[in-house]
Amino acid sequence: MGSIKKLLSLFTPRERRNLAVLMVAVVGMAFLEVAGIGAIGPFMTVAANPAAIEGSPRLLWVYETFGFTSSRDFLIALGLVVFALVVTSNAFTTFTMYWVYRFASMRNHTLALRLFRQYLYQPYPYFLDHNTSALSTSILSEVNQLITSVLRPGMEALARGMVALAIVAFLFVSDPVVASAVVVVLGGAYAAAYLIIRKVLTRIGTERKDANRARFKAAGEAFGAVKDVKILGKEPAFEEAFANASRLYSWRQAQRQILGTVPKHVIEMLAFGLIVLVVVVLIGADESFASVIPAITVYAFAGYRLMPALQVVFRGAAHLRTALPVIDSLHHDLNTGVREAKTSQRDVRRLAKLDEPRLPFTRQINVKSMSFVYANSQARVLDSINMTITKDTAIGLVGATGCGKTTLVDVILGLLTPTAGSISVDGVKVRPKNLRNWQLNFGYVPQQIYLSDDTVAHNIAFGIPADLVNMQAVQRAARIAHLHEFVVNEMPSGYDTLVGERGVRLSGGQRQRVGIARALYHDPSVLVLDEATSALDSVTEQAVMDAIHELLGKKTLIIIAHRITTVREADVIYVMDSGRLIASG
Ligand SMILES: Nc1ncnc2c1ncn2[C@@H]1O[C@H](COP(=O)(O)OP(=O)(O)OP(=O)(O)O)[C@@H](O)[C@H]1O
Ligand SMILES: [Mg+2]
């Protein structure tokens, strides 16, 4: 019960209401189905023995009320009624199941989207603590699994469960003894089977989930580091990592299917024995085969409907059980951290226009006794930093690797929140409320530039819908980054040239310049370069730095470098060591 509640909590109130409506339809479906079965009894009674009309007050009443004159006509009429009921019941079932499947499958979309948003809108530190391939696994694989192996069969199980209940109720009315036997034997058998395999199901579910993550991780890492894999000849190691996870995943998947189905065959034998027993008992009591045919037909038909229903309910319960670890983790992910922000198509368009108000920056950025500690460690990566950045000057930030340069600009960029101290701009403190407006001032060229498998233009106008890309802004940015000439003269389709995954079709220097152009597209007032040139040879580095130097005095520049020579043109140079600023000049 608790697991069903948890599963339901993954959906929005509206989705839960839709589900409730569907369930009402499902109950209606169950009643129609039972009515169909119920009508077969009288039909068979009359077919086997027309004289039975006289013997049954109910049949006689119908016979006389509708003015039948021959038992043959009456039989035909009864047959038509049974047929009509079966047709209606099946039509309604088709209709209801269409809605059930549609509802379930669309939840694959809505749930995955909500999860995607929930992750995407988390603050930056969340991504320092979570493996992104695990996030992708949840969104792309686990949600899908949950829908196809739990929600959809679960709804079907509920529907079939209703039918089973209605059939049992009908059996109780027509023969309480047989009904009790059915409930005790079949219900008991399934309940026992479930109790026996319950623990195993949970373990299988946990291992399945972990193996699925491992599978995604192995594939992602192998292709992500494909160059290293090739050079080091490490294909076998990655193959093995993937094979192990994939084998375990598939085997657990198979076990879950098997455990959901095997009891069916055992219980079918039981049911068959039960029918034989009923026949023997009935004939023993009545001694006339003809008179028990109608009863047997009803029981056989009821059993024929009841067995698959019970089986589906059982399988649903088994799958729900194996999905518990996934439900728990999705439940946790959807309910912790920052709530997903509401965005819409219109927001995408509005943001593309770049007219959100920027936090005014006309004089100075002040960093005051600012310290920072990463959540998962004790070390003070930044220790009482004091810094003044005057508008339209260039700041150089140098220091040994690991001294905290990237962390410092991440804090200034508002990606990380200072543990102590503050950052203010023109005397206004940067707070969560004005963070977005603050960040709009920045263009950022990271140490590792991530290019998407798209055109040069779309990589420069990053995250902007194709129809809203401002080509003038693209070209202006590309010119400043000394990229324009190259794009126009050397690239096969100019700005429409595809750069390949992560920009593999570009050289390191070209990628870097696309990164710079991207940072300049929205004409920021501050440009931050995190070792934007350290991976380049000195000639290319010089060319890129020349491009940057043209911005001196026009933009505020924060340039991080290993070597002081890279930033010798800067107005102020800060030297950093183990999280402290030790010199400036
Ligand atoms: N997510 C993190 N969690 C914990 N510690 C971290 C994290 N990221 C970085 N660090 C630690 O913080 C310190 C500063 O890292 P940072 O990336 O700021 O150095 P850096 O000066 O930019 O180095 P480099 O010149 O090599 O880029 C390092 O000791 C690093 O190990
Ligand atoms: Mg760094």
Side-chain angles (χ1 to χ4, degrees):
M1 265 344 227
S3 40
I4 293 182
K5 217 165 146 189
K6 252 196 188 140
L7 178 64
L8 289 178
S9 74
L10 297 180
F11 301 110
T12 63
R14 200 191 139 152
E15 288 168 341
R16 285 198 289 267
R17 274 198 300 278
N18 283 346
L19 190 62
V21 172
L22 264 181
M23 285 303 123
V24 172
V26 161
V27 174
M29 181 176 100
F31 276 109
L32 273 174
E33 204 158 339
V34 174
I37 297 171
I40 290 178
F43 175 73
M44 290 305 284
T45 307
V46 176
N49 178 18
I53 303 172
E54 305 286 326
S56 154
R58 269 179 291 178
L59 282 178
L60 194 62
W61 180 80
V62 177
Y63 187 86
E64 285 172 350
T65 311
F66 290 95
F68 282 102
T69 49
S70 86
S71 57
R72 221 183 89 89
D73 289 350
F74 188 55
L75 186 65
I76 292 172
L78 274 181
L80 285 176
V81 168
V82 170
F83 185 65
L85 267 174
V86 170
V87 168
T88 314
S89 149
N90 279 298
F92 191 70
T93 302
T94 309
F95 171 77
T96 309
M97 289 325 270
Y98 163 80
W99 279 103
V100 165
Y101 283 127
R102 202 183 107 137
F103 175 83
S105 294
M106 286 317 288
R107 298 296 73 74
N108 194 5
H109 159 64
T110 52
L111 189 55
L113 179 63
R114 278 176 51 222
L115 203 58
F116 180 71
R117 278 185 171 172
Q118 175 77 0
Y119 292 146
L120 191 60
Y121 285 89
Q122 292 300 326
Y124 177 67
Y126 184 88
F127 298 92
L128 299 176
D129 291 336
H130 290 79
N131 185 302
T132 51
S133 76
L135 305 184
S136 302
T137 314
S138 294
I139 296 168
L140 299 175
S141 177
E142 295 300 359
V143 165
N144 186 35
Q145 286 268 343
L146 193 66
I147 300 301
T148 50
S149 72
V150 179
L151 182 67
R152 212 161 58 193
M155 288 174 79
E156 208 185 327
L158 262 175
R160 297 286 156 200
M162 284 292 171
V163 174
L165 266 181
I167 292 175
V168 168
F170 169 75
L171 283 182
F172 263 105
V173 172
S174 53
D175 194 333
V177 179
V178 173
S180 312
V182 166
V183 168
V184 170
V185 175
L186 293 186
Y190 271 113
Y194 181 74
L195 286 179
I196 291 168
I197 61 172
R198 204 168 52 150
K199 281 233 166 65
V200 184
L201 288 173
T202 311
R203 188 169 55 77
I204 288 177
T206 310
E207 291 183 6
R208 196 203 62 81
K209 185 192 97 189
D210 294 344
N212 198 19
R213 287 194 174 176
R215 210 164 60 106
F216 269 77
K217 189 160 167 281
E221 285 175 355
F223 296 130
V226 70
K227 206 164 187 178
D228 304 68
V229 172
K230 289 280 152 203
I231 291 166
L232 298 169
K234 291 297 180 211
E235 291 93 340
F238 283 90
E239 181 189 333
E240 186 173 295
F242 181 80
N244 288 341
S246 169
R247 188 180 306 112
L248 184 66
Y249 170 77
S250 304
W251 178 225
R252 292 292 173 265
Q253 210 53 337
Q255 284 177 318
R256 151 197 226 182
Q257 297 289 347
I258 294 166
L259 284 176
T261 335
V262 163
K264 172 180 156 187
H265 301 293
V266 179
I267 291 164
E268 245 165 36
M269 290 188 291
L270 267 174
F272 187 73
L274 197 65
I275 289 188
V276 171
L277 193 72
V278 167
V279 171
V280 172
V281 169
L282 283 178
I283 291 182
D286 245 11
E287 289 180 1
S288 142
F289 187 64
S291 66
V292 298
I293 282 184
I296 289 173
T297 313
V298 171
Y299 293 139
F301 193 65
Y304 159 75
R305 281 301 172 100
L306 191 57
M307 288 299 301
L310 283 176
Q311 172 52 29
V312 169
V313 171
F314 175 77
R315 204 184 50 205
H319 282 185
L320 179 62
R321 187 89 195 174
T322 45
L324 266 187
V326 170
I327 295 176
D328 277 340
S329 93
L330 294 187
H331 184 79
H332 173 268
D333 287 355
L334 280 173
N335 288 292
T336 46
V338 175
R339 299 295 306 159
E340 54 176 283
K342 282 244 183 297
T343 47
S344 67
Q345 211 48 32
R346 220 184 311 125
D347 287 329
V348 176
R349 317 248 129 204
R350 186 171 53 73
L351 286 174
K353 285 205 199 115
L354 315 168
D355 58 0
E356 254 191 304
R358 295 179 182 185
L359 195 64
F361 169 38
T362 53
R363 302 191 302 273
Q364 276 186 343
I365 299 168
N366 285 94
V367 179
K368 252 190 246 129
S369 39
M370 192 267 288
S371 298
F372 182 81
V373 180
Y374 280 104
N376 54 7
S377 78
Q378 313 293 323
R380 265 181 183 233
V381 175
L382 300 176
D383 195 0
S384 313
I385 301 279
N386 286 296
M387 216 175 172
T388 304
I389 302 165
T390 309
K391 188 168 164 75
D392 293 340
T393 61
I395 302 289
L397 188 59
V398 292
T401 175
C403 70
K405 305 180 295 294
T406 298
T407 310
L408 176 58
V409 294
D410 283 351
V411 175
I412 293 177
L413 286 164
L415 292 173
L416 302 172
T417 314
T419 315
S422 69
I423 296 170
S424 50
V425 50
D426 288 0
V428 177
K429 261 197 188 170
V430 176
R431 300 172 188 284
K433 231 176 74 188
N434 58 17
L435 187 63
R436 193 77 267 253
N437 313 79
W438 166 235
Q439 288 173 327
L440 289 169
N441 283 301
F442 288 97
Y444 177 52
V445 187
Q447 233 167 330
Q448 305 282 342
I449 290 169
Y450 184 94
L451 295 191
S452 44
D453 192 359
D454 205 335
T455 65
V456 176
H458 291 166
N459 265 295
I460 294 174
F462 186 65
I464 299 200
D467 56 321
L468 294 180
V469 170
N470 180 341
M471 274 316 286
Q472 259 150 5
V474 168
Q475 292 191 14
R476 180 184 44 74
R479 278 210 174 84
I480 304 173
H482 286 200
L483 185 69
H484 179 74
E485 300 295 308
F486 172 77
V487 171
V488 172
N489 298 330
E490 320 234 339
M491 291 194 139
S493 322
Y495 281 100
D496 294 328
T497 311
L498 292 167
V499 300
E501 192 183 351
R502 280 172 285 119
V504 286
R505 286 182 220 141
L506 300 181
S507 76
Q510 289 155 3
R511 269 202 289 272
Q512 221 65 25
R513 276 182 262 199
V514 172
I516 294 169
R518 175 189 290 177
L520 290 168
Y521 174 79
H522 63 278
D523 198 21
S525 41
V526 187
L527 184 66
V528 179
L529 299 120
D530 190 350
E531 313 220 21
T533 57
S534 61
L536 308 178
D537 64 78
S538 52
V539 177
T540 320
E541 171 171 20
Q542 201 46 55
V544 173
M545 284 319 289
D546 285 346
I548 309 272
H549 290 151
E550 282 169 26
L551 295 168
L552 286 172
K554 293 183 206 147
K555 290 210 181 296
T556 310
L557 300 174
I558 301 176
I559 306 167
I560 299 182
H562 270 119
R563 288 167 294 223
I564 229 158
T565 49
T566 317
V567 291
R568 61 176 182 268
E569 314 260 341
D571 300 297
V572 187
I573 295 176
Y574 287 97
V575 180
M576 221 180 158
D577 183 41
S578 315
R580 293 174 158 274
L581 290 183
I582 50 167
S584 69

